[in-house]
Amino acid sequence: MTLFSRRLPHVVTQKDLVLLLAPTYAAARGVDEEEAQDRLAQALAVPAALDDVYRGFSEALRALQGPRTTEDQLVDKLSAGVLARRARAKPAPATPAISAVLVRLDLEIGLAADAMRATLATPRGKALLDEGLRALGTHLVKDLLK
């Protein structure tokens, strides 16, 4: 996985991702925020799942970076946004692509049927998952850079 910046995991930590994703997970799964945070913490403890989320985040940052904006400037602005807004994240809109990401995370903690793993491994499922990771990353970046 190629990160947007080597600083990204230090600026947006695993704990930050849990807080940022919890409103989306809670809304989609009909659980309270605390339960969502517990589930996300377990799922993101799996390196492959964490890498997937960082990949979506990185793609969103690359798409946002303009010709005169340096990587460091964007990461610095992101860092300020994390400090100011991580506890007030808004849920991402419910779409099939976002749902694919949540299923991917549920697979890591045993809440989704293993048959879903095979579904996400198909070309169509992989494309939907990739779209969802980009969409979720874009939502989070826009929310943090307000």
Side-chain angles (χ1 to χ4, degrees):
M1 173 195 60
T2 307
L3 291 174
F4 174 76
S5 168
R6 293 179 306 143
R7 295 173 50 204
L8 185 60
H10 304 286
V11 170
V12 184
T13 66
Q14 182 177 339
K15 286 183 180 183
D16 293 330
L17 286 174
V18 168
L19 290 173
L20 291 167
L21 294 173
T24 299
Y25 190 94
R29 295 296 185 251
V31 297
D32 64 24
E33 291 254 346
E34 190 173 315
E35 177 69 18
Q37 289 176 12
D38 289 344
R39 291 181 184 185
L40 288 167
Q42 289 177 357
L44 294 177
V46 177
L50 185 61
D51 287 348
D52 281 350
V53 173
Y54 276 130
R55 182 169 41 97
F57 217 100
S58 292
E59 289 177 16
L61 287 168
R62 278 188 199 96
L64 189 65
Q65 185 179 17
R68 292 183 286 170
T69 306
T70 68
E71 177 183 297
D72 283 335
Q73 288 172 326
L74 197 52
V75 172
D76 289 344
K77 191 173 179 184
L78 183 65
S79 177
V82 168
L83 291 174
R85 301 191 53 79
R86 74 175 176 198
R88 297 181 295 164
K90 293 187 168 81
T95 65
I98 297 289
S99 293
V101 174
L102 299 179
V103 167
R104 164 75 173 93
L105 295 173
D106 282 344
L107 281 166
E108 298 303 339
I109 54 176
L111 291 177
D114 272 342
M116 294 304 294
R117 191 176 307 276
T119 301
L120 290 178
T122 65
R124 186 172 176 198
K126 183 162 177 25
L128 191 62
L129 178 60
D130 288 343
E131 178 187 333
L133 289 167
R134 277 190 305 277
L136 192 56
T138 300
H139 169 77
L140 294 175
V141 166
K142 284 182 179 178
D143 198 28
L144 291 172
L145 296 180
K146 280 185 180 180

